[in-house]
Amino acid sequence: MSISRRTFSTALSGSLIAMGLTQGTAVAKPATPTGEGARAAAADDPYTQAFLTQYGKIKAAGNGYFSPDGLPYHSAETLMVEAPDHGHETTSEAVSFWMWLEAAYGRVTGDWGPFNEAWAIAERTIIPQHADQSTADAYNPSSPATYAPEWPLPDNYPSALNSSVPVGSDPIATELASSYGTMDVYGMHWLMDLDNTYGYGNKPGTGGESGPGPGPSFINTYQRGAQESVWETIPQPTTDLFNYGGPNGFLDLFVHDASYAKQWKYTNAPDADARAVQAAYWAYRWASAQGKEGEIAASVAKAAKMGDYLRYAMFDKYFKRIGSCTDPNSCPAASGRDSQHYLLSWYYAWGGAAAGSGGGWAWRIGDGASHQGYQNPLAAWALSNVPALTPKSATARTDWARSLTRQLEFLQWLQSAEGAFAGGCTNSWDGKYGTPPAGTPTFYGMAYDWQPVYHDPPSNNWFGFQVWGMERVAAYYYVTGNATAKAVLSKWVAWASGKTTVGADGSYRFPSTLNWTGKPDTWNPTSPGNNAGLHVSVVDYSNDVGVGAAYVKTLTYYAAKSGDAAAGALAKALLDAMALNADDKGIAVPETRADYNRFDDEVFVPDGWSGEMPGGDTVEPGVTFIGMRSWYRDDPDWPKVQAYLDGGPAPTFTYHRFWAQAALALAFSIYAELLVEGDGGGDTEPPTVPAGLTVTATTNNSVSLSWSASTDNVAVTGYDVYRNGVLAGSATTRAFTDQGLAAATAYSYAVAARDAGGNTSALSTTVSATTKSGGGGTGSVKVQYKNTDSSAGDNQIRLGLQIVNTGSAPVDLSTVKVRYWFSSEAGASTFSTYCDYAALGSSNINHTVVTVSSPKTGADHYLEVGFTGGAGSLAAGASTGEVQLRLNKSDWSNFNEADDYSRATNTAYADAPRLAAYVGSALAWGVEP
């Protein structure tokens, strides 16, 4: 097998640019909002105008931000080397920013088509399809991968595989396969060559290597240790069929093996997938406020699925035990969750044998190295608290809830005395489970590393990772008001603000390169240290607009929730100053690229190895970065670089990175929403207190609740449910089931409503409930539902169901029944019911319509669904798979489903609290009408 590593680093100018302009909000003529529900605010708010102007520039075909296949380029310019080594590659980072940009467009205009299209294109391209991972079903979770140590320098490679080193078992593969009916992995590969500049032709959906020609191509780069910078990489195809490179393709440059097989391999950037989930959360929140959540339900369900697989980033690379893992042979292979650190690590990866290569095998790995800049508590919170984003797998919600707590602890552990956050930790010192230096602090047994993952340049010296991480913490704080998030933010904002200046002439600067000394205290969750010996200093400063945009978002979220006027004023000052740098393509400042002298750097190739790139460039010992990329010499900007290589001054470029331009648009939109518009920071009126909180059902491990709707001057967007004074979860409807409780135990509950402006009502009156005794987890199920009929007024009701065992023991399906309540309206009072498909076999499904003895609005009948003895039992954590059902009146008259109690508009499976499940005679899930 062969794996990838990715690096995000930038070489940014530290110079201060004096604009010579008076400070203010510089905006162009706004783009015209389109779609139903365009906001009036777009016409009179300058920051919303600025968002629409920036959005229009990004989407304008002539500005060159998108490939012919609809994916965003890393930058509009082609000559660019930083993390990607060409401007017309793309990253999953760029795609995640695109999703967020389209979510903001939906908030402003009410048009959710572009958001859905972004997800649809991602599924066709950067998320590998089944053809691209064709042998994934050969994966064996008990033997996930063969160990290969990492080495500090590229010239230590290839690294020999060592099957004698024990590796652990993968505890989530089986439940993922059960939940989604496939062994394919659903996550974005981090890097694509959108113009197929290299010519490998790894086109999405083909699983092949078609060579030069139009269309996007998957590629890989980083694979040779922590010191490998972009200037030392050897690009290679993701599906290596030995058409290029040497006799073994490119595989033998990275891994030493007795023999080599043609294969495919992909690498996921967890922070990008988490940002995609974050974008889906905002889309859901904003669309719900517009009453349009149904329009994006399918896309939100895709984000939930992505979050399910994103859990691979929570595991050690080879599924070894977490903590005190200081020797590859003696560090034990883990079983169960002993390999799970619950942080977002630097990557996860998966691969397997190429189709038709004569063997079926596949592998998966996580990563034991975690960086502070990759954590995303908002995504973790959404995946564990928002029903529409709750993944299908039985343990996913619990995993993300625990990850949320662990991420916040991680940031507390890494916060320096000044307020900035140090690098991170690793479960595998030097990438080969080595022994850290004596006195190295630990976090749950993992060693502190001030520069986790890569060292050229040191991974935590870039201020951008501070603001990327902090904007997520600030967003989480804005949504939840979490006290820990506020504490770390307050200290960080004070430090960063003190290092930031904005001049009257429109000039501005903030930190660029950081320096670290000392180390944190070893983490003690019951008594955290104060890190008095861990310090940060600022080496130089920058005016980079992408970093500045993330900084503005951080300040805006923080100011809107905390009321910190100084933070809000600094956000406005930075935003106004950056806006003065507008040009025809967006907002950008010049950068002097002294690092471009490395175009002539030699790239290590082992003695005796020789191969060829698709375009004809030879790869052999002594080859240089430009020598493998001779096509760069045809770039219109190349003469500037050549002049520098010939002894002239370092070239200056004005780059339009997609992620930075999208971040600027988002900064305008978020500032407008939270600190200008009436539905954001200007909205200080909380919703009314929820009334009528009632316990509707209890089981041995769950309590079901319902309450009356709150009202608000703008819109109620959700409800937070508190158990014994601690947040237990959130709901967008007026019902909630709290699961995973102890049997025969008393609990108290209260509910608070919240609105789109982040205001929260006072808590409702409390109610008490006691779970039933016994059961040991048996009989714990939930119902997931999707609407399979878009018409609410035709002559049939169509729906899909699946039952998930959320308990710890098997459930006899013949004891389970599910009820779907509906209203019959006028017409015949007899019904015909059908099971069109069931994963367990249609003959194993019982279905009938029952008349409700005491009819209620939207519920005078229910469809009852049960199982025959032939359906067998449902294992703990397993799903029945899909059951497709429909019914009609005997006279085929029309229904009016709009007010039906159990009907929802989601077209992808989601938890359904308005469908009830019974095990025996006991209500095990849902709320009856």
Side-chain angles (χ1 to χ4, degrees), residues 491-508:
K491 188 173 182 180
W492 185 90
V493 167
W495 166 77
S497 299
K499 302 294 182 182
T500 304
T501 57
V502 182
D505 60 353
S507 60
Y508 62 95

Side-chain angles (χ1 to χ4, degrees), residues 1-229:
M1 91 175 171
S2 183
I3 61 169
S4 278
R5 164 174 289 139
R6 61 190 282 282
T7 300
F8 274 91
S9 59
T10 52
L12 302 174
S13 167
S15 60
L16 181 66
I17 306 299
M19 308 304 172
L21 298 171
T22 57
Q23 192 169 327
T25 304
V27 296
K29 182 179 179 180
T32 302
T34 60
E36 180 185 355
R39 296 179 59 94
D44 54 21
D45 165 31
Y47 291 95
T48 302
Q49 290 180 30
F51 163 75
L52 289 168
T53 298
Q54 181 73 357
Y55 179 90
K57 291 178 180 180
I58 293 170
K59 298 301 286 287
N63 283 340
Y65 283 104
F66 286 85
S67 76
D69 298 276
L71 282 166
Y73 290 121
H74 177 64
S75 70
E77 296 76 24
T78 51
L79 198 157
M80 170 180 283
V81 181
E82 41 191 32
D85 57 8
H86 187 247
H88 275 197
E89 294 168 0
T90 197
T91 63
S92 53
E93 297 284 355
V95 173
S96 66
F97 272 102
W98 177 33
M99 293 169 172
W100 194 1
L101 176 71
E102 301 296 8
Y105 183 75
R107 182 191 76 83
V108 171
T109 67
D111 181 359
W112 293 99
F115 175 76
N116 290 329
E117 181 66 7
W119 272 98
I121 290 176
E123 277 201 317
R124 294 197 299 266
T125 55
I126 201 165
I127 300 173
Q129 299 169 53
H130 178 69
D132 304 314
Q133 47 181 320
S134 55
T135 55
D137 58 356
Y139 177 62
N140 180 1
S142 65
S143 181
T146 302
Y147 172 76
E150 297 176 25
W151 301 99
L153 300 173
D155 58 13
N156 298 136
Y157 284 78
S159 180
L161 293 169
N162 186 347
S163 59
S164 68
V165 172
V167 300
S169 59
D170 173 352
I172 64 173
T174 300
E175 72 171 28
L176 287 167
S178 174
S179 295
Y180 301 102
T182 178
M183 287 297 280
D184 294 351
V185 171
Y186 190 85
M188 292 189 281
H189 176 63
W190 88 275
L191 186 65
M192 295 186 74
D193 181 3
L194 295 188
D195 293 344
N196 199 21
T197 301
Y198 281 106
Y200 290 119
N202 278 177
K203 295 182 179 180
T206 68
E209 192 178 41
S210 58
S217 173
F218 290 116
I219 59 171
N220 274 319
T221 52
Y222 305 89
Q223 281 194 210
R224 300 190 295 179
Q227 194 62 35
E228 183 187 37
S229 74

Side-chain angles (χ1 to χ4, degrees), residues 416-460:
S416 65
E418 292 76 19
F421 295 90
C425 68
T426 179
N427 196 53
S428 179
W429 190 259
D430 282 340
K432 49 182 178 287
Y433 301 105
T435 301
T440 299
T442 58
F443 179 78
Y444 289 100
M446 296 179 287
Y448 169 67
D449 189 348
W450 71 277
Q451 52 175 357
V453 185
Y454 69 87
H455 300 164
D456 183 14
S459 65
N460 200 47

Side-chain angles (χ1 to χ4, degrees), residues 355-447:
S357 62
W361 50 270
W363 54 267
R364 298 181 192 178
I365 58 173
D367 187 20
S370 297
H371 193 289
Q372 62 85 16
Y374 266 33
Q375 307 313 302
N376 193 324
L378 180 63
W381 175 83
L383 289 165
S384 57
N385 285 277
V386 178
L389 276 163
T390 302
K392 289 183 181 180
S393 292
T395 63
R397 180 182 177 186
T398 302
D399 280 348
W400 281 111
R402 189 166 182 181
S403 176
L404 172 59
T405 300
R406 189 63 54 89
Q407 289 182 44
L408 293 173
E409 289 182 309
F410 189 54
L411 295 173
Q412 289 177 279
W413 177 59
L414 291 171
Q415 190 160 33
S416 65
E418 292 76 19
F421 295 90
C425 68
T426 179
N427 196 53
S428 179
W429 190 259
D430 282 340
K432 49 182 178 287
Y433 301 105
T435 301
T440 299
T442 58
F443 179 78
Y444 289 100
M446 296 179 287

